[in-house]
């Protein structure tokens, strides 16, 4: 399995109404310290036809990581999260204490 496939496998486990951070996904994929690699992998996801819930991954501040390369995907990400019941503060932050995914230890 490729590194990106490992990342996608973790992201697919994030339940609706929860988020994970890039660093959290990296750690769960045994890619410690490689949060940016998670970002690169998610950038490559076809956000229209893929079943990978890419929108459930945010930065460690509880924010959507904005990029002009995403061609409006930042706004789409927020809309998708709000449709799942995730609320944003007026500053655009998600309360990670409330919405952070905490997978069960195996």
């Amino acid at each position: 399995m490729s590194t990106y496939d490992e990342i996608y496998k973790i992201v697919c486990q994030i339940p609706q109404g929860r988020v994970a951070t890039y660093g959290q996904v990296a750690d769960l994929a045994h890619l410690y310290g490689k949060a940016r690699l998670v970002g690169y992998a998610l950038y490559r996801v076809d956000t229209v036809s893929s079943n990978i819930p890419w929108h459930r991954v945010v930065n460690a501040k509880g924010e959507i990581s904005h990029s002009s390369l995403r061609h409006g995907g930042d706004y789409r990400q927020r809309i998708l999260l709000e449709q799942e019941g995730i609320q944003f503060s007026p500053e655009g932050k998600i309360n990670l204490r409330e919405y952070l995914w905490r997978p069960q230890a195996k």
Side-chain angles (χ1 to χ4, degrees):
M1 186 179 289
S2 78
T3 301
Y4 280 15
D5 288 336
E6 286 291 333
I7 291 167
Y8 300 147
K9 181 179 166 186
I10 299 297
V11 172
C12 285
Q13 295 175 46
I14 305 167
Q16 186 173 348
R18 296 285 174 206
V19 296
T21 66
Y22 294 100
Q24 180 184 10
V25 172
D27 289 351
L28 290 168
H30 305 288
L31 299 165
Y32 308 102
K34 304 237 178 186
R36 284 189 182 192
L37 181 61
V38 172
Y40 298 143
L42 294 178
Y43 176 76
R44 295 183 53 111
V45 170
D46 181 344
T47 61
V48 175
S49 65
S50 175
N51 291 330
I52 298 168
W54 59 272
H55 62 282
R56 295 183 185 145
V57 182
V58 297
N59 69 30
K61 296 177 184 176
E63 299 172 333
I64 292 171
S65 292
H66 294 281
S67 169
S68 60
L69 299 175
R70 290 179 61 193
H71 307 289
D74 304 331
Y75 305 106
R76 184 162 182 251
Q77 183 176 8
R78 181 171 175 147
I79 290 167
L80 290 170
L81 290 172
E82 289 176 332
Q83 288 174 347
E84 292 185 8
I86 294 175
Q87 296 181 1
F88 288 77
S89 73
E91 296 78 28
K93 292 187 179 193
I94 296 168
N95 182 340
L96 293 179
R97 279 188 242 136
E98 183 175 352
Y99 295 108
L100 186 67
W101 172 51
R102 291 175 179 82
Q104 299 295 321
K106 293 182 181 179

